[in-house]
Amino acid sequence: MPELPEVAAHAERLSAAFAGTPLARFEPMHPAVLKTFDPRPATAASKALKEVGHRGKYLLLRFGESDGGHEASDLTFVVHLMQAGRLRIDTKQDRKPRGGMARWTFADGPALLLTEAGTERRAGVWLLAGDPGAVEPLARLGPDAHTIGRDELAQRLTASSERVHGFLRDQSHLAGIGRLLANEILHSARISPFANTSRLDGEAVDRLHAAIAISIARGLAAEREREDMGRSQDRPSDVHHRVGEPCPACGDAVRSVEYRRYRVAYCPTCQTGGKVLADNTTSRFLK
């Protein structure tokens, strides 16, 4: 699933390509894609795209118009790509594009097409009036991960009392971190993925806070070099997608704990004091 660096860089690309262009129409192409019924999509027609922003893993297509120098009637399409969704420039505008979920057609130039590979069809669009951050799905999100201060992070860690890998991926704690970033952040911070958040000392919190900023900045820099959103395998990583390879920091073999739908990658030397975690969902230390 695209994480904060990929979503943020893609928002910048789409803003550069479409900002200021009036919307002609929005067309849902799958019955489950539009999650809201009020306001109706037709109310966004003729409004100009002000910018494409982001919040956590969500893209925000903000449309509005100027009324005597004051912003009026702002509408925001909130888009969640889920695992296999992509929002790309659509120059062909085929009537039935493969995997088509929704299309934004602009008054001039190409359209924007939301597609989703596979059969699950979980990508979603919400059309919201006013402040989109005040209502679902954005209201439940914690702060964007790269914006959180050290002290607030410490407070959230202490209050949660859970495994730190799960904490990082919980969007109500921090928005924008997924499996890849969680693995990379904890490796950079030299913290076990199964450490309890309430037991991290001040030095560990310092390392974790710094690692969040470093890992997101690294991903964003790499993503800005791309012309389109890439695959997970294309993203910079030291442990994610590198199980069995030497750790770039110490040379030990990168290990993993396997779950049904994902894996937790880590380096024993860097993160668990040399101990290898059991390769099952109990995640106990091997003797």
Side-chain angles (χ1 to χ4, degrees):
M1 182 182 295
E3 301 178 46
L4 195 152
E6 294 77 46
V7 172
H10 199 51
E12 294 172 357
R13 288 189 288 265
L14 295 180
S15 271
F18 288 93
T21 307
L23 181 70
R25 65 183 178 277
F26 169 77
E27 176 189 4
M29 307 176 80
H30 187 277
V33 69
L34 186 60
K35 310 298 185 182
T36 52
F37 62 90
D38 184 35
R40 296 177 62 83
T43 60
S46 80
K47 296 184 185 296
L49 179 65
K50 300 172 73 173
E51 66 170 349
V52 179
H54 68 92
R55 178 76 170 89
K57 300 178 184 180
Y58 293 84
L59 288 164
L60 309 180
L61 281 67
R62 299 187 175 103
F63 288 85
E65 55 194 9
S66 178
D67 182 11
H70 299 286
E71 294 179 354
S73 305
D74 283 2
L75 295 171
T76 303
F77 286 94
V78 177
V79 181
H80 199 306
L81 301 174
M82 296 303 293
Q83 186 73 31
R86 293 294 183 268
L87 183 61
R88 293 190 169 119
I89 296 175
D90 180 17
T91 57
K92 296 182 178 179
Q93 299 189 37
D94 294 335
R95 189 170 66 88
K96 292 184 178 181
R98 183 176 181 181
M101 296 290 285
R103 179 185 280 138
W104 290 258
T105 302
F106 292 86
D108 301 303
L112 275 175
L113 179 65
L114 175 64
T115 63
E116 186 174 8
T119 60
E120 289 190 326
R121 297 294 185 264
R122 298 173 61 202
V125 177
W126 294 255
L127 179 56
L128 306 173
D131 178 12
V135 295
E136 292 297 329
L138 304 184
R140 65 178 180 84
L141 298 179
D144 278 357
H146 66 300
T147 68
I148 193 168
R150 188 268 182 205
D151 291 343
E152 182 180 357
L153 176 63
Q155 292 170 2
R156 287 176 176 264
L157 289 164
T158 301
S160 67
S161 188
E162 61 185 286
R163 288 173 174 172
V164 66
H165 196 278
F167 172 92
L168 291 174
R169 293 185 292 110
D170 187 332
Q171 302 302 294
S172 67
H173 294 317
L174 297 174
I177 295 176
R179 296 165 190 165
L180 184 149
L181 274 178
N183 287 334
E184 296 303 311
I185 288 167
L186 292 173
H187 177 256
S188 177
R190 306 189 307 281
I191 295 173
S192 167
F194 300 106
N196 188 283
T197 57
S198 65
R199 297 175 184 172
L200 296 178
D201 61 23
E203 184 181 351
V205 174
D206 289 341
R207 297 199 309 272
L208 183 61
H209 184 252
I212 290 171
I214 291 168
S215 299
I216 291 175
R218 178 190 184 192
L220 184 57
E223 197 66 18
R224 282 172 171 162
E225 296 295 320
R226 302 182 57 84
E227 295 182 358
D228 198 359
M229 189 179 289
R231 306 169 303 162
S232 176
Q233 291 85 348
D234 301 325
R235 304 172 197 170
S237 64
D238 292 330
V239 291
H240 196 84
H241 296 311
R242 298 186 182 277
V243 174
E245 298 180 15
C247 168
C250 71
D252 193 1
V254 174
R255 307 293 185 109
S256 69
V257 175
E258 302 286 340
Y259 292 89
R260 186 172 63 87
R261 297 178 63 94
Y262 69 99
R263 63 169 41 166
V264 174
Y266 70 100
C267 169
T269 296
C270 293
Q271 295 174 255
T272 62
K275 295 179 180 179
V276 177
L277 299 173
D279 190 12
N280 55 51
T281 56
T282 61
S283 304
R284 295 177 179 174
F285 287 120
L286 289 174
K287 294 182 179 179

